[in-house]
Coordinates of all heavy atoms in Angstrom, one line a residue:
Chain B
G1307 N 107.2 120.6 80.5 CA 108.2 120.9 79.5 C 108.9 122.2 79.8 O 110.2 122.3 79.6
A1308 N 108.3 123.2 80.4 CA 108.9 124.4 80.8 C 109.9 124.1 81.9 O 111.0 124.8 82.0 CB 107.9 125.4 81.2
C1309 N 109.6 123.2 82.7 CA 110.5 122.8 83.8 C 111.8 122.2 83.2 O 112.9 122.6 83.7 CB 109.8 121.7 84.7 SG 110.8 121.1 86.0
V1310 N 111.7 121.4 82.2 CA 112.9 120.8 81.5 C 113.7 121.9 80.9 O 114.9 122.0 81.1 CB 112.5 119.8 80.5 CG1 113.7 119.3 79.7 CG2 111.8 118.6 81.1
Q1311 N 113.0 122.9 80.2 CA 113.7 124.0 79.5 C 114.4 124.9 80.6 O 115.5 125.3 80.3 CB 112.7 124.8 78.7 CG 112.2 124.0 77.5 CD 113.3 123.5 76.5 OE1 114.3 124.2 76.3 NE2 113.1 122.3 76.0
G1312 N 113.7 125.1 81.7 CA 114.3 125.9 82.7 C 115.6 125.3 83.3 O 116.6 125.9 83.6
A1313 N 115.5 123.9 83.5 CA 116.6 123.2 84.1 C 117.8 123.2 83.1 O 118.9 123.5 83.6 CB 116.2 121.8 84.4
L1314 N 117.5 123.1 81.8 CA 118.6 123.1 80.9 C 119.2 124.5 80.8 O 120.5 124.7 80.7 CB 118.1 122.7 79.5 CG 117.6 121.3 79.3 CD1 116.9 121.1 78.0 CD2 118.8 120.3 79.4
Y1315 N 118.4 125.5 80.9 CA 118.9 126.9 80.9 C 119.8 127.1 82.1 O 120.8 127.8 82.0 CB 117.7 127.9 81.0 CG 118.0 129.3 80.8 CD1 117.9 130.0 79.6 CD2 118.4 130.1 82.0 CE1 118.2 131.3 79.5 CE2 118.7 131.4 81.8 CZ 118.6 132.1 80.6 OH 118.9 133.4 80.5
A1316 N 119.4 126.5 83.2 CA 120.2 126.7 84.5 C 121.5 125.9 84.5 O 122.3 126.1 85.3 CB 119.3 126.3 85.7
G1317 N 121.6 125.0 83.5 CA 122.8 124.2 83.4 C 122.7 122.8 83.9 O 123.7 122.1 84.1
M1318 N 121.5 122.3 84.0 CA 121.3 120.8 84.4 C 122.1 120.0 83.3 O 121.9 120.1 82.1 CB 119.9 120.5 84.4 CG 119.7 118.9 84.5 SD 117.9 118.4 84.5 CE 117.4 118.6 82.8
R1319 N 122.9 119.1 83.8 CA 123.6 118.1 82.9 C 123.3 116.7 83.3 O 123.8 115.8 82.7 CB 125.1 118.4 82.9 CG 125.5 119.7 82.2 CD 125.1 119.6 80.7 NE 125.4 120.9 80.1 CZ 124.5 121.9 80.0 NH1 123.3 121.8 80.6 NH2 124.8 123.0 79.4

Side-chain angles (χ1 to χ4, degrees):
Chain B
C1309 177
V1310 175
Q1311 292 303 320
L1314 294 169
Y1315 185 96
M1318 170 179 73
R1319 289 297 175 272

